[in-house]
Amino acid sequence: MQTIQSVNEMQSHAIGLRSSGRLIGLVPTMGCLHEGHLSLIDIAKEKADKVIVSIFVNPTQFGPSEDYDKYPRMLDADIEKCRARGADIVFNPSVEDMYPQGYSTYVNEERISAGLCGVSRPHHFRGVTTVCMKLFNITRPDIAVFGQKDAQQCAVIKKMVADLNIPAEIVIGETQRDADGMATSSRNAYLTEVQRSEASNISKSLLMAKDMVANGTRSVDRIVAEVTHHLLLSRRIRVIYVQVVDRETMVPAREIIPGEQLLCVAAWAEQTRLIDNIKL
Ligand code: PAF
C-alpha cells in the first residue's frame, strides 16, 4: 500500500491509473478510522480495481466554535488499518496543499444543505462539498463511497454530483453499529462511559420509532413527540432536532410513507454532537 501526501503527485498518479483502464474507488474520510469507514473500503474493493482512502481533517467544514482542533488524529494507526483492510493508497494531504494561501473558491449546494444540520452548522455542507469536489478532481474516482450515518451529507453529495455532471457513482454503505446500538463515529471517542450509555438511547429511540411505524403509526407528529420524549429522559442528552424527512431531498414529511423516509436525530451528549438516522 502506498501513502501519498502531495496533491500533484496524487492527481498525476490517478490520471495514470485511469488511462491504464483501472477503476478507481475513493473512500473520503477525516481519519480516526472505525468499522464504519473500514466497511466502506470493503465496498470500494468490490467495485473498483484501486482503492484510495483519503484522510484529511477538513477545516472548511468546521464552524469557529466547533471541534476542529481537538478532532482525533491518529494517522499511523489509520494507515495500518487501511493496509490491513486492503486499500491500495492512503492520500493524506496537508491543509496548506489543499487550501494554499489566497484560496477563495467554494462549492455550495443550496437546498438539501439548508435544513437539519445546516440550520445549526450553516457553513458545514459548503465545506463538505468543496473538499469532496477537490478530492474528486485530485483522485478521479469512478466510484466514491460514503456512509449512511451521514444521511444529509450523502444526499448533498449525490445532488452535487448530479448538478455538476461529475462522472462518478456515489455508493452509500450501511451504518455500522456497536453492540449497544450506537452508530460508529469518530466523535464517539469523546464520550465517557456514562455519556455513552445515555447516548445509546439515540439509536434505541430510532428503533422505537421504526417499531411504531411497523405497528401502524402514520403520524409524523406522534413519532417526533415519542422520540423526543424518550431522549429527554436522559439527563446528559440535549436534543437539536428530531425530524422525519424524504430520504433524497431531506424535505420534512407530512405523513409516514413506510420505506420512503428517514427519521433523523441530532443531539448533544454534553459536549459531543452526535447524529443518527433510520429508514422508517
Ligand atoms: O464524512 C466525513 O468524514 C467528511 O465529511 C468527508 C466526507 C470526509 C469530507 O471531509
Side-chain angles (χ1 to χ4, degrees), residues 34-37 39-40 43 146-151 154 172-178 181-185 203 206 262 275-279:
H34 48 68
E35 190 51 36
H37 299 112
S39 68
L40 305 183
I43 296 174
F146 294 83
Q148 172 65 21
K149 198 208 67 148
D150 300 305
C154 292
I172 309 300
E174 298 263 299
T175 302
Q176 301 297 307
R177 296 187 181 278
D178 290 325
M182 283 272 287
T184 56
S185 163
S203 61
L206 296 178
L262 296 177
I275 55 171
D276 201 351
N277 67 84
I278 199 164
K279 194 165 157 200

Coordinates of all heavy atoms in Angstrom, one line a residue, residues 34-37 39-40 43 146-151 154 172-178 181-185 203 206 262 275-279:
H34 N -12.8 3.8 12.0 CA -13.5 2.7 12.7 C -14.2 1.8 11.7 O -14.1 2.0 10.5 CB -14.6 3.4 13.7 CG -15.4 4.4 13.0 ND1 -16.3 4.1 12.1 CD2 -15.5 5.8 13.2 CE1 -16.9 5.2 11.6 NE2 -16.4 6.2 12.3
E35 N -15.0 0.8 12.3 CA -15.6 -0.2 11.4 C -16.5 0.4 10.3 O -16.6 -0.1 9.2 CB -16.3 -1.2 12.3 CG -16.8 -2.4 11.6 CD -15.7 -3.2 10.7 OE1 -14.5 -3.2 11.2 OE2 -16.1 -3.7 9.6
G36 N -17.1 1.6 10.6 CA -17.9 2.2 9.6 C -17.1 2.6 8.4 O -17.5 2.3 7.3
H37 N -15.9 3.2 8.6 CA -15.1 3.5 7.5 C -14.5 2.2 6.8 O -14.5 2.1 5.5 CB -13.8 4.3 7.9 CG -14.1 5.6 8.6 ND1 -13.9 5.8 9.9 CD2 -14.6 6.8 8.1 CE1 -14.2 7.1 10.2 NE2 -14.7 7.7 9.1
S39 N -15.8 -0.7 6.6 CA -16.8 -1.4 5.7 C -16.9 -0.6 4.4 O -17.3 -1.3 3.4 CB -18.1 -1.4 6.5 OG -18.7 -0.1 6.6
L40 N -16.7 0.7 4.3 CA -16.7 1.4 3.1 C -15.5 1.0 2.2 O -15.7 0.9 0.9 CB -16.7 2.9 3.3 CG -17.8 3.5 4.2 CD1 -17.7 5.0 4.3 CD2 -19.2 3.1 3.8
I43 N -16.6 -2.1 0.4 CA -17.5 -1.9 -0.7 C -16.6 -1.4 -1.9 O -16.8 -1.8 -3.1 CB -18.5 -0.8 -0.3 CG1 -19.4 -1.4 0.8 CG2 -19.4 -0.4 -1.6 CD1 -20.4 -0.4 1.3
F146 N -19.6 6.6 0.6 CA -19.9 7.4 1.8 C -20.8 6.6 2.7 O -21.5 5.6 2.3 CB -20.7 8.7 1.4 CG -19.8 9.7 0.7 CD1 -19.7 9.5 -0.7 CD2 -19.2 10.7 1.3 CE1 -18.9 10.4 -1.4 CE2 -18.4 11.6 0.6 CZ -18.3 11.4 -0.8
G147 N -20.9 6.9 4.0 CA -21.7 6.1 5.0 C -23.0 6.8 5.2 O -23.2 8.0 5.4
Q148 N -24.0 5.9 5.3 CA -25.4 6.3 5.5 C -25.6 7.1 6.9 O -26.6 7.8 7.0 CB -26.3 5.1 5.4 CG -27.8 5.3 5.8 CD -28.5 6.2 4.8 OE1 -28.1 6.5 3.7 NE2 -29.6 6.8 5.3
K149 N -24.7 6.9 7.8 CA -24.9 7.6 9.1 C -25.0 9.1 8.8 O -25.7 9.8 9.5 CB -23.7 7.3 10.0 CG -24.1 7.6 11.5 CD -22.9 8.0 12.3 CE -22.3 9.3 11.8 NZ -21.7 10.1 12.8
D150 N -24.2 9.6 7.9 CA -24.3 11.0 7.5 C -25.3 11.1 6.3 O -24.9 11.5 5.2 CB -22.9 11.5 7.1 CG -21.9 11.3 8.2 OD1 -22.2 11.8 9.3 OD2 -20.9 10.7 8.0
A151 N -26.6 10.9 6.6 CA -27.6 10.8 5.6 C -27.7 12.1 4.8 O -27.8 12.1 3.6 CB -28.9 10.4 6.2
C154 N -24.8 12.5 2.5 CA -24.9 11.6 1.3 C -25.8 12.3 0.3 O -25.5 12.3 -0.9 CB -25.5 10.3 1.7 SG -24.4 9.3 2.7
I172 N -23.5 4.3 -1.3 CA -23.8 4.5 0.2 C -23.7 3.2 0.9 O -24.4 2.3 0.6 CB -25.1 5.2 0.4 CG1 -25.3 6.4 -0.5 CG2 -25.3 5.5 1.9 CD1 -24.3 7.5 -0.3
G173 N -22.8 3.2 1.9 CA -22.7 2.0 2.8 C -23.6 2.1 4.0 O -23.8 3.2 4.6
E174 N -24.1 1.0 4.4 CA -25.0 0.9 5.6 C -24.2 1.4 6.9 O -23.0 1.3 7.0 CB -25.3 -0.6 6.0 CG -26.0 -1.3 4.9 CD -27.5 -1.3 5.2 OE1 -27.9 -1.9 6.3 OE2 -28.2 -0.8 4.4
T175 N -25.0 2.0 7.8 CA -24.5 2.4 9.1 C -24.0 1.2 9.9 O -24.7 0.2 10.0 CB -25.5 3.2 9.9 OG1 -26.0 4.3 9.1 CG2 -25.0 3.7 11.2
Q176 N -22.8 1.3 10.4 CA -22.3 0.2 11.2 C -22.6 0.6 12.7 O -22.5 1.7 13.1 CB -20.8 0.0 11.1 CG -20.4 -0.3 9.6 CD -20.9 -1.7 9.2 OE1 -20.8 -2.7 9.8 NE2 -21.6 -1.6 8.0
R177 N -23.0 -0.4 13.5 CA -23.3 -0.1 14.9 C -22.5 -1.0 15.8 O -22.2 -2.2 15.5 CB -24.8 -0.4 15.1 CG -25.7 0.6 14.3 CD -27.2 0.5 14.5 NE -27.8 1.4 13.6 CZ -28.0 2.7 13.9 NH1 -27.5 3.2 15.0 NH2 -28.5 3.5 13.0
D178 N -22.2 -0.5 17.0 CA -21.6 -1.2 18.1 C -22.6 -2.1 18.8 O -23.8 -1.9 18.5 CB -20.8 -0.3 19.0 CG -19.6 0.4 18.4 OD1 -19.0 -0.3 17.5 OD2 -19.3 1.5 18.7
G181 N -25.7 -0.6 20.0 CA -26.6 0.0 19.0 C -26.1 1.4 18.5 O -26.6 1.9 17.5
M182 N -25.1 1.9 19.2 CA -24.6 3.3 18.8 C -24.0 3.2 17.4 O -23.2 2.2 17.1 CB -23.4 3.7 19.7 CG -23.9 4.2 21.0 SD -24.2 6.0 21.0 CE -22.6 6.7 20.9
A183 N -24.3 4.1 16.5 CA -23.7 4.2 15.2 C -22.2 4.5 15.4 O -21.8 5.3 16.2 CB -24.3 5.3 14.4
T184 N -21.3 3.8 14.7 CA -19.9 4.0 14.8 C -19.6 5.4 14.3 O -20.2 5.9 13.3 CB -19.0 3.0 14.1 OG1 -19.4 3.0 12.7 CG2 -19.2 1.6 14.6
S185 N -18.8 6.2 15.1 CA -18.5 7.5 14.7 C -17.2 7.9 15.4 O -16.9 7.5 16.5 CB -19.6 8.5 15.2 OG -19.1 9.8 15.2
S203 N -30.0 5.6 19.4 CA -30.3 4.6 18.5 C -31.5 3.8 19.0 O -32.3 3.3 18.2 CB -29.1 3.7 18.2 OG -28.7 3.1 19.4
L206 N -34.6 5.5 17.8 CA -34.8 5.3 16.4 C -35.5 3.9 16.2 O -36.5 3.8 15.4 CB -33.5 5.3 15.6 CG -32.7 6.6 15.6 CD1 -31.4 6.5 14.8 CD2 -33.6 7.8 15.0
L262 N -36.7 9.0 6.2 CA -35.7 8.7 7.3 C -36.2 9.5 8.5 O -36.7 10.6 8.4 CB -34.3 9.3 6.9 CG -33.6 8.7 5.7 CD1 -32.3 9.5 5.4 CD2 -33.3 7.2 6.0
I275 N -25.1 12.5 15.6 CA -26.2 12.3 14.7 C -26.5 10.9 14.4 O -25.5 10.0 14.5 CB -26.0 13.1 13.3 CG1 -24.7 12.6 12.6 CG2 -26.0 14.6 13.5 CD1 -24.6 13.2 11.2
D276 N -27.7 10.5 14.0 CA -28.0 9.2 13.7 C -29.3 9.2 12.9 O -30.0 10.3 12.9 CB -28.2 8.3 14.9 CG -28.0 6.8 14.6 OD1 -27.9 6.4 13.4 OD2 -28.0 6.0 15.5
N277 N -29.6 8.2 12.1 CA -30.9 8.1 11.4 C -31.3 6.7 11.1 O -30.5 5.8 11.3 CB -30.7 8.9 10.1 CG -29.8 8.2 9.1 OD1 -30.1 7.3 8.4 ND2 -28.5 8.6 9.1
I278 N -32.6 6.5 10.8 CA -33.0 5.2 10.5 C -34.1 5.3 9.4 O -34.8 6.3 9.3 CB -33.6 4.5 11.7 CG1 -33.7 3.0 11.5 CG2 -35.0 5.0 12.1 CD1 -33.9 2.2 12.9
K279 N -34.1 4.3 8.5 CA -35.2 4.3 7.5 C -36.4 3.8 8.1 O -36.4 2.7 8.8 CB -34.8 3.4 6.3 CG -35.5 3.5 5.1 CD -34.7 2.7 4.0 CE -35.6 2.3 2.9 NZ -35.0 1.2 2.1

